[in-house]
Amino acid sequence: MLLQSLVVILAAIARPALAQCNLSYSALQQITRDYISSQATGAFATTASSATYTENFRTVNIRNGLLSKALRVNHTRSIHDTTQCATYTEYVVTDPSHPYVIGTQIRLTPDGQITQIDSIVTDAGDWLFNATGTQYYASREDWFVIPVESRDTRDTIKKAGDAYLDLFSNPSTVVPWGTPCARLEGGAYTGRGLPTDSCNVGVPSGVPLTNRRYVIDETVGSVDIFLDFGNNKIPDTHEFRVEKGRLRFVHTMTATGGA
């Protein structure tokens, strides 16, 4: 027993401590504001030129990728994680010449240097893609700041998102469904504005959702999760809004590329 205790203690000592994020919520908000405003000119590619950049989980030269292109953003919403020094931004481009729906996770050092930018980029041919539909429904949702006394913990928010994703491979998973709840999947929306709206409308079965990467914002009860969808590892993001421990909104983007 003493030996087991000693092993546990030594393991704890040897485990490297996570660096504490020194960035405030407002500092992370400035990062996402700069990201969106710079997308109008493509300037963010220069601002974050030293960062690793991926599109749909493939490494791309940041100076040649979508980040360097001037895009007119018609809708955007961001969440900010002061524990991990990370952000997630959902944004929609409805330009008829080339519409997009994009989700981007940005990760920073504790002192604010951008080290990683990962984007899920969806456009024509991707799963249920409809940029104008996404803008329409997303802009009508209320992801209000939750009063401090009513906020769920990071763990509760993360577990709610994970439960939904686990359902794809384990149908016995207990998911904390909320009512009402609305799911925005590509441009398809399950909500009808009714108090009985539900997100429990079925998911595929036998599908592993792996390699999950999280951004969590307790102030708005949200977690975004980048993941590999299915055995083909299709790039995907699922974002959840959790209120009082239960799912309120679900947003998904899946870069199927016409598959």
Side-chain angles (χ1 to χ4, degrees):
M1 194 70 179
L2 177 60
L3 180 59
Q4 288 179 331
S5 299
L6 182 59
V7 169
V8 171
I9 292 170
L10 290 175
I13 293 172
R15 188 183 302 124
L18 293 175
Q20 181 177 353
C21 181
N22 297 321
L23 302 178
S24 65
Y25 196 87
S26 60
L28 290 174
Q29 286 180 309
Q30 188 61 53
I31 293 292
T32 53
R33 281 194 295 267
D34 289 346
Y35 170 57
I36 289 300
S37 63
S38 296
Q39 186 68 86
T41 61
F44 203 75
T46 302
T47 302
S49 59
S50 63
T52 300
Y53 177 57
T54 69
E55 292 179 5
N56 297 337
F57 304 162
R58 296 186 179 91
T59 301
V60 174
N61 185 323
I62 198 168
R63 296 185 183 278
N64 300 326
L66 195 66
L67 200 61
S68 68
K69 312 302 181 187
L71 300 175
R72 180 183 177 185
V73 177
N74 302 99
H75 163 78
T76 184
R77 182 181 47 74
S78 297
I79 63 174
H80 309 86
D81 187 333
T82 56
T83 298
Q84 295 189 93
C85 278
T87 68
Y88 171 73
T89 298
E90 165 193 274
Y91 65 104
V92 182
V93 176
T94 60
D95 183 347
S97 68
H98 197 148
Y100 293 98
V101 179
I102 299 169
T104 298
Q105 290 188 355
I106 298 176
R107 299 187 183 276
L108 306 95
T109 65
D111 296 317
Q113 179 181 351
I114 297 172
T115 59
Q116 184 82 28
I117 304 173
D118 300 301
S119 290
I120 299 290
V121 180
T122 62
D123 58 5
D126 286 313
W127 180 248
L128 297 176
F129 179 81
N130 183 329
T132 55
T134 300
Q135 179 196 20
Y136 177 83
Y137 293 117
S139 64
R140 282 158 175 76
E141 294 177 345
D142 187 3
W143 295 53
F144 60 87
V145 173
I146 298 171
V148 173
E149 65 276 9
S150 300
R151 290 176 190 171
D152 290 306
T153 65
R154 289 177 65 84
D155 188 57
T156 296
I157 296 167
K158 179 178 180 293
K159 284 181 177 177
D162 275 335
Y164 181 98
L165 300 180
D166 291 345
L167 186 65
F168 284 69
S169 58
N170 181 3
S172 65
T173 301
V174 177
V175 180
W177 303 113
T179 306
C181 181
R183 183 174 78 184
L184 180 58
E185 184 177 9
Y189 199 61
T190 64
R192 295 178 294 165
L194 301 175
T196 55
D197 284 345
S198 175
C199 293
N200 188 9
V201 293
V203 299
S205 61
V207 181
L209 305 184
T210 58
N211 192 24
R212 300 176 189 179
R213 287 141 286 171
Y214 305 83
V215 176
I216 303 171
D217 185 342
E218 303 96 309
T219 68
V220 291
S222 179
V223 56
D224 175 71
I225 308 174
F226 274 20
L227 57 95
D228 296 341
F229 192 102
N231 293 321
N232 292 331
K233 302 185 183 302
I234 299 169
D236 180 280
T237 173
H238 273 65
E239 186 187 14
F240 303 90
R241 160 85 171 194
V242 179
E243 296 178 7
K244 297 180 179 179
R246 298 192 173 274
L247 297 177
R248 177 64 182 91
F249 296 118
V250 181
H251 285 198
T252 81
M253 302 176 203
T254 309
T256 54

